[in-house]
PDB file of all heavy atoms in Angstrom:
ATOM      1  N   GLY B 117      12.906  -0.516  12.240  1.00 95.00           N
ATOM      2  CA  GLY B 117      11.808   0.444  12.304  1.00 95.00           C
ATOM      3  C   GLY B 117      11.606   1.010  13.688  1.00 95.00           C
ATOM      4  O   GLY B 117      10.537   1.547  13.999  1.00 95.00           O
ATOM      5  N   GLY B 118      12.649   0.920  14.528  1.00 96.00           N
ATOM      6  CA  GLY B 118      12.540   1.383  15.906  1.00 96.00           C
ATOM      7  C   GLY B 118      13.416   2.583  16.197  1.00 96.00           C
ATOM      8  O   GLY B 118      14.143   3.084  15.331  1.00 96.00           O
ATOM      9  N   ILE B 119      13.355   3.030  17.426  1.00 95.00           N
ATOM     10  CA  ILE B 119      14.181   4.127  17.925  1.00 95.00           C
ATOM     11  C   ILE B 119      14.934   3.618  19.150  1.00 95.00           C
ATOM     12  O   ILE B 119      14.323   3.054  20.073  1.00 95.00           O
ATOM     13  CB  ILE B 119      13.324   5.352  18.296  1.00 95.00           C
ATOM     14  CG1 ILE B 119      12.611   5.894  17.047  1.00 95.00           C
ATOM     15  CG2 ILE B 119      14.182   6.443  18.935  1.00 95.00           C
ATOM     16  CD1 ILE B 119      11.645   7.019  17.352  1.00 95.00           C
ATOM     17  N   TRP B 120      16.250   3.813  19.178  1.00 94.00           N
ATOM     18  CA  TRP B 120      17.076   3.364  20.302  1.00 94.00           C
ATOM     19  C   TRP B 120      17.016   4.391  21.416  1.00 94.00           C
ATOM     20  O   TRP B 120      17.296   5.572  21.204  1.00 94.00           O
ATOM     21  CB  TRP B 120      18.506   3.159  19.845  1.00 94.00           C
ATOM     22  CG  TRP B 120      19.423   2.679  20.927  1.00 94.00           C
ATOM     23  CD1 TRP B 120      20.423   3.368  21.533  1.00 94.00           C
ATOM     24  CD2 TRP B 120      19.414   1.381  21.530  1.00 94.00           C
ATOM     25  NE1 TRP B 120      21.040   2.589  22.474  1.00 94.00           N
ATOM     26  CE2 TRP B 120      20.438   1.362  22.503  1.00 94.00           C
ATOM     27  CE3 TRP B 120      18.635   0.236  21.350  1.00 94.00           C
ATOM     28  CZ2 TRP B 120      20.707   0.250  23.285  1.00 94.00           C
ATOM     29  CZ3 TRP B 120      18.906  -0.867  22.126  1.00 94.00           C
ATOM     30  CH2 TRP B 120      19.923  -0.867  23.076  1.00 94.00           C
ATOM     31  N   ASP B 121      16.610   3.938  22.632  1.00 92.00           N
ATOM     32  CA  ASP B 121      16.485   4.886  23.749  1.00 92.00           C
ATOM     33  C   ASP B 121      17.639   4.779  24.740  1.00 92.00           C
ATOM     34  O   ASP B 121      17.590   5.358  25.819  1.00 92.00           O
ATOM     35  CB  ASP B 121      15.148   4.698  24.461  1.00 92.00           C
ATOM     36  CG  ASP B 121      15.047   3.378  25.235  1.00 92.00           C
ATOM     37  OD1 ASP B 121      16.037   2.612  25.250  1.00 92.00           O
ATOM     38  OD2 ASP B 121      13.989   3.107  25.832  1.00 92.00           O
ATOM     39  N   GLY B 122      18.665   4.040  24.365  1.00 90.00           N
ATOM     40  CA  GLY B 122      19.808   3.846  25.246  1.00 90.00           C
ATOM     41  C   GLY B 122      19.775   2.523  25.971  1.00 90.00           C
ATOM     42  O   GLY B 122      20.801   2.042  26.442  1.00 90.00           O
ATOM     43  N   GLN B 123      18.603   1.915  26.055  1.00 92.00           N
ATOM     44  CA  GLN B 123      18.458   0.605  26.682  1.00 92.00           C
ATOM     45  C   GLN B 123      17.692  -0.368  25.804  1.00 92.00           C
ATOM     46  O   GLN B 123      18.017  -1.549  25.744  1.00 92.00           O
ATOM     47  CB  GLN B 123      17.744   0.748  28.030  1.00 92.00           C
ATOM     48  CG  GLN B 123      17.612  -0.566  28.793  1.00 92.00           C
ATOM     49  CD  GLN B 123      16.963  -0.384  30.154  1.00 92.00           C
ATOM     50  OE1 GLN B 123      16.497   0.709  30.487  1.00 92.00           O
ATOM     51  NE2 GLN B 123      16.921  -1.442  30.940  1.00 92.00           N
ATOM     52  N   TYR B 124      16.684   0.135  25.122  1.00 95.00           N
ATOM     53  CA  TYR B 124      15.846  -0.706  24.278  1.00 95.00           C
ATOM     54  C   TYR B 124      15.682  -0.089  22.899  1.00 95.00           C
ATOM     55  O   TYR B 124      15.700   1.133  22.729  1.00 95.00           O
ATOM     56  CB  TYR B 124      14.441  -0.864  24.880  1.00 95.00           C
ATOM     57  CG  TYR B 124      14.369  -1.699  26.131  1.00 95.00           C
ATOM     58  CD1 TYR B 124      14.298  -1.102  27.387  1.00 95.00           C
ATOM     59  CD2 TYR B 124      14.350  -3.089  26.063  1.00 95.00           C
ATOM     60  CE1 TYR B 124      14.213  -1.866  28.543  1.00 95.00           C
ATOM     61  CE2 TYR B 124      14.268  -3.857  27.212  1.00 95.00           C
ATOM     62  CZ  TYR B 124      14.200  -3.254  28.441  1.00 95.00           C
ATOM     63  OH  TYR B 124      14.114  -4.006  29.595  1.00 95.00           O
ATOM     64  N   CYS B 125      15.446  -0.956  21.939  1.00 96.00           N
ATOM     65  CA  CYS B 125      14.959  -0.542  20.635  1.00 96.00           C
ATOM     66  C   CYS B 125      13.436  -0.576  20.726  1.00 96.00           C
ATOM     67  O   CYS B 125      12.847  -1.635  20.985  1.00 96.00           O
ATOM     68  CB  CYS B 125      15.442  -1.502  19.550  1.00 96.00           C
ATOM     69  SG  CYS B 125      14.886  -1.063  17.886  1.00 96.00           S
ATOM     70  N   ARG B 126      12.798   0.570  20.522  1.00 97.00           N
ATOM     71  CA  ARG B 126      11.348   0.693  20.742  1.00 97.00           C
ATOM     72  C   ARG B 126      10.620   1.028  19.442  1.00 97.00           C
ATOM     73  O   ARG B 126      11.107   1.806  18.622  1.00 97.00           O
ATOM     74  CB  ARG B 126      11.053   1.793  21.764  1.00 97.00           C
ATOM     75  CG  ARG B 126      11.462   1.463  23.183  1.00 97.00           C
ATOM     76  CD  ARG B 126      11.149   2.630  24.110  1.00 97.00           C
ATOM     77  NE  ARG B 126      11.390   2.327  25.497  1.00 97.00           N
ATOM     78  CZ  ARG B 126      10.494   1.823  26.341  1.00 97.00           C
ATOM     79  NH1 ARG B 126       9.272   1.581  25.910  1.00 97.00           N
ATOM     80  NH2 ARG B 126      10.799   1.576  27.595  1.00 97.00           N
ATOM     81  N   THR B 127       9.447   0.441  19.306  1.00 97.00           N
ATOM     82  CA  THR B 127       8.558   0.792  18.218  1.00 97.00           C
ATOM     83  C   THR B 127       7.132   0.497  18.661  1.00 97.00           C
ATOM     84  O   THR B 127       6.919  -0.256  19.621  1.00 97.00           O
ATOM     85  CB  THR B 127       8.892   0.018  16.926  1.00 97.00           C
ATOM     86  OG1 THR B 127       8.078   0.499  15.853  1.00 97.00           O
ATOM     87  CG2 THR B 127       8.673  -1.473  17.101  1.00 97.00           C
ATOM     88  N   THR B 128       6.169   1.097  18.015  1.00 97.00           N
ATOM     89  CA  THR B 128       4.769   0.842  18.322  1.00 97.00           C
ATOM     90  C   THR B 128       4.017   0.544  17.032  1.00 97.00           C
ATOM     91  O   THR B 128       4.427   0.962  15.936  1.00 97.00           O
ATOM     92  CB  THR B 128       4.096   2.032  19.036  1.00 97.00           C
ATOM     93  OG1 THR B 128       4.195   3.189  18.191  1.00 97.00           O
ATOM     94  CG2 THR B 128       4.750   2.312  20.374  1.00 97.00           C
ATOM     95  N   VAL B 129       2.928  -0.185  17.185  1.00 96.00           N
ATOM     96  CA  VAL B 129       2.060  -0.515  16.065  1.00 96.00           C
ATOM     97  C   VAL B 129       0.635  -0.187  16.466  1.00 96.00           C
ATOM     98  O   VAL B 129       0.196  -0.561  17.563  1.00 96.00           O
ATOM     99  CB  VAL B 129       2.162  -2.013  15.691  1.00 96.00           C
ATOM    100  CG1 VAL B 129       1.234  -2.334  14.527  1.00 96.00           C
ATOM    101  CG2 VAL B 129       3.589  -2.383  15.348  1.00 96.00           C
ATOM    102  N   THR B 130      -0.076   0.496  15.601  1.00 96.00           N
ATOM    103  CA  THR B 130      -1.498   0.769  15.837  1.00 96.00           C
ATOM    104  C   THR B 130      -2.321  -0.128  14.926  1.00 96.00           C
ATOM    105  O   THR B 130      -2.117  -0.147  13.706  1.00 96.00           O
ATOM    106  CB  THR B 130      -1.831   2.246  15.554  1.00 96.00           C
ATOM    107  OG1 THR B 130      -1.016   3.072  16.386  1.00 96.00           O
ATOM    108  CG2 THR B 130      -3.294   2.534  15.848  1.00 96.00           C
ATOM    109  N   SER B 131      -3.233  -0.878  15.526  1.00 95.00           N
ATOM    110  CA  SER B 131      -4.004  -1.854  14.760  1.00 95.00           C
ATOM    111  C   SER B 131      -5.158  -1.199  14.013  1.00 95.00           C
ATOM    112  O   SER B 131      -5.453  -0.008  14.180  1.00 95.00           O
ATOM    113  CB  SER B 131      -4.560  -2.935  15.688  1.00 95.00           C
ATOM    114  OG  SER B 131      -5.658  -2.432  16.440  1.00 95.00           O
ATOM    115  N   GLU B 132      -5.831  -2.005  13.211  1.00 92.00           N
ATOM    116  CA  GLU B 132      -7.012  -1.528  12.486  1.00 92.00           C
ATOM    117  C   GLU B 132      -8.106  -1.078  13.447  1.00 92.00           C
ATOM    118  O   GLU B 132      -8.957  -0.260  13.097  1.00 92.00           O
ATOM    119  CB  GLU B 132      -7.533  -2.647  11.580  1.00 92.00           C
ATOM    120  CG  GLU B 132      -6.504  -3.121  10.557  1.00 92.00           C
ATOM    121  CD  GLU B 132      -6.840  -4.479   9.974  1.00 92.00           C
ATOM    122  OE1 GLU B 132      -7.776  -5.140  10.510  1.00 92.00           O
ATOM    123  OE2 GLU B 132      -6.189  -4.881   8.991  1.00 92.00           O
ATOM    124  N   ARG B 133      -8.073  -1.621  14.669  1.00 92.00           N
ATOM    125  CA  ARG B 133      -9.073  -1.268  15.687  1.00 92.00           C
ATOM    126  C   ARG B 133      -8.549  -0.201  16.648  1.00 92.00           C
ATOM    127  O   ARG B 133      -9.111   0.018  17.707  1.00 92.00           O
ATOM    128  CB  ARG B 133      -9.473  -2.532  16.473  1.00 92.00           C
ATOM    129  CG  ARG B 133     -10.037  -3.662  15.613  1.00 92.00           C
ATOM    130  CD  ARG B 133     -11.434  -3.363  15.117  1.00 92.00           C
ATOM    131  NE  ARG B 133     -12.362  -3.320  16.231  1.00 92.00           N
ATOM    132  CZ  ARG B 133     -12.985  -4.394  16.727  1.00 92.00           C
ATOM    133  NH1 ARG B 133     -12.775  -5.595  16.202  1.00 92.00           N
ATOM    134  NH2 ARG B 133     -13.826  -4.277  17.740  1.00 92.00           N
ATOM    135  N   LYS B 134      -7.438   0.428  16.267  1.00 95.00           N
ATOM    136  CA  LYS B 134      -6.827   1.502  17.050  1.00 95.00           C
ATOM    137  C   LYS B 134      -6.216   1.037  18.371  1.00 95.00           C
ATOM    138  O   LYS B 134      -6.011   1.837  19.283  1.00 95.00           O
ATOM    139  CB  LYS B 134      -7.834   2.641  17.329  1.00 95.00           C
ATOM    140  CG  LYS B 134      -8.496   3.197  16.079  1.00 95.00           C
ATOM    141  CD  LYS B 134      -7.456   3.688  15.081  1.00 95.00           C
ATOM    142  CE  LYS B 134      -8.131   4.255  13.824  1.00 95.00           C
ATOM    143  NZ  LYS B 134      -7.133   4.638  12.787  1.00 95.00           N
ATOM    144  N   ALA B 135      -5.919  -0.246  18.469  1.00 95.00           N
ATOM    145  CA  ALA B 135      -5.199  -0.762  19.640  1.00 95.00           C
ATOM    146  C   ALA B 135      -3.700  -0.559  19.416  1.00 95.00           C
ATOM    147  O   ALA B 135      -3.206  -0.697  18.289  1.00 95.00           O
ATOM    148  CB  ALA B 135      -5.515  -2.238  19.854  1.00 95.00           C
ATOM    149  N   ILE B 136      -2.995  -0.255  20.472  1.00 96.00           N
ATOM    150  CA  ILE B 136      -1.561   0.034  20.369  1.00 96.00           C
ATOM    151  C   ILE B 136      -0.757  -1.125  20.939  1.00 96.00           C
ATOM    152  O   ILE B 136      -1.012  -1.591  22.054  1.00 96.00           O
ATOM    153  CB  ILE B 136      -1.205   1.327  21.119  1.00 96.00           C
ATOM    154  CG1 ILE B 136      -1.913   2.516  20.454  1.00 96.00           C
ATOM    155  CG2 ILE B 136       0.309   1.545  21.122  1.00 96.00           C
ATOM    156  CD1 ILE B 136      -1.736   3.812  21.205  1.00 96.00           C
ATOM    157  N   ARG B 137       0.183  -1.586  20.172  1.00 95.00           N
ATOM    158  CA  ARG B 137       1.143  -2.581  20.659  1.00 95.00           C
ATOM    159  C   ARG B 137       2.491  -1.907  20.845  1.00 95.00           C
ATOM    160  O   ARG B 137       3.061  -1.335  19.915  1.00 95.00           O
ATOM    161  CB  ARG B 137       1.270  -3.739  19.684  1.00 95.00           C
ATOM    162  CG  ARG B 137       2.525  -4.585  19.935  1.00 95.00           C
ATOM    163  CD  ARG B 137       2.421  -5.954  19.347  1.00 95.00           C
ATOM    164  NE  ARG B 137       1.400  -6.733  20.046  1.00 95.00           N
ATOM    165  CZ  ARG B 137       1.107  -7.990  19.745  1.00 95.00           C
ATOM    166  NH1 ARG B 137       1.731  -8.596  18.761  1.00 95.00           N
ATOM    167  NH2 ARG B 137       0.189  -8.634  20.424  1.00 95.00           N
ATOM    168  N   ASP B 138       3.013  -1.993  22.070  1.00 96.00           N
ATOM    169  CA  ASP B 138       4.331  -1.456  22.391  1.00 96.00           C
ATOM    170  C   ASP B 138       5.347  -2.578  22.289  1.00 96.00           C
ATOM    171  O   ASP B 138       5.186  -3.629  22.917  1.00 96.00           O
ATOM    172  CB  ASP B 138       4.333  -0.858  23.797  1.00 96.00           C
ATOM    173  CG  ASP B 138       5.684  -0.277  24.153  1.00 96.00           C
ATOM    174  OD1 ASP B 138       6.136   0.636  23.459  1.00 96.00           O
ATOM    175  OD2 ASP B 138       6.297  -0.755  25.134  1.00 96.00           O
ATOM    176  N   ILE B 139       6.374  -2.377  21.498  1.00 98.00           N
ATOM    177  CA  ILE B 139       7.415  -3.386  21.291  1.00 98.00           C
ATOM    178  C   ILE B 139       8.751  -2.802  21.721  1.00 98.00           C
ATOM    179  O   ILE B 139       9.117  -1.698  21.303  1.00 98.00           O
ATOM    180  CB  ILE B 139       7.492  -3.815  19.809  1.00 98.00           C
ATOM    181  CG1 ILE B 139       6.162  -4.439  19.362  1.00 98.00           C
ATOM    182  CG2 ILE B 139       8.654  -4.779  19.587  1.00 98.00           C
ATOM    183  CD1 ILE B 139       6.089  -4.683  17.858  1.00 98.00           C
ATOM    184  N   LYS B 140       9.470  -3.532  22.559  1.00 97.00           N
ATOM    185  CA  LYS B 140      10.815  -3.082  22.924  1.00 97.00           C
ATOM    186  C   LYS B 140      11.713  -4.298  23.115  1.00 97.00           C
ATOM    187  O   LYS B 140      11.315  -5.296  23.709  1.00 97.00           O
ATOM    188  CB  LYS B 140      10.797  -2.216  24.178  1.00 97.00           C
ATOM    189  CG  LYS B 140      10.347  -2.897  25.457  1.00 97.00           C
ATOM    190  CD  LYS B 140      10.443  -1.903  26.629  1.00 97.00           C
ATOM    191  CE  LYS B 140      10.153  -2.577  27.957  1.00 97.00           C
ATOM    192  NZ  LYS B 140      10.287  -1.630  29.100  1.00 97.00           N
ATOM    193  N   ILE B 141      12.919  -4.201  22.578  1.00 97.00           N
ATOM    194  CA  ILE B 141      13.888  -5.285  22.695  1.00 97.00           C
ATOM    195  C   ILE B 141      15.251  -4.719  23.071  1.00 97.00           C
ATOM    196  O   ILE B 141      15.672  -3.689  22.556  1.00 97.00           O
ATOM    197  CB  ILE B 141      14.005  -6.116  21.400  1.00 97.00           C
ATOM    198  CG1 ILE B 141      14.405  -5.227  20.209  1.00 97.00           C
ATOM    199  CG2 ILE B 141      12.727  -6.880  21.107  1.00 97.00           C
ATOM    200  CD1 ILE B 141      14.836  -6.008  18.997  1.00 97.00           C
ATOM    201  N   ALA B 142      15.899  -5.388  23.997  1.00 97.00           N
ATOM    202  CA  ALA B 142      17.292  -5.072  24.315  1.00 97.00           C
ATOM    203  C   ALA B 142      18.176  -5.757  23.273  1.00 97.00           C
ATOM    204  O   ALA B 142      17.865  -6.855  22.802  1.00 97.00           O
ATOM    205  CB  ALA B 142      17.631  -5.561  25.717  1.00 97.00           C
TER     206      ALA B 142
END
């Protein structure tokens, strides 16, 4: 469910309280 940016696989999640979690993995 991510997008490859050339270095990391990135995705974000927005919580029920509108908080954003940034996830990235090499």
Side-chain angles (χ1 to χ4, degrees):
I119 297 175
W120 181 250
D121 69 2
Q123 183 177 7
Y124 290 100
C125 180
R126 290 179 174 269
T127 186
T128 59
V129 179
T130 302
S131 75
E132 301 162 350
R133 302 287 294 273
K134 306 304 180 185
I136 296 174
R137 164 159 293 181
D138 181 60
I139 299 171
K140 64 178 186 178
I141 58 167

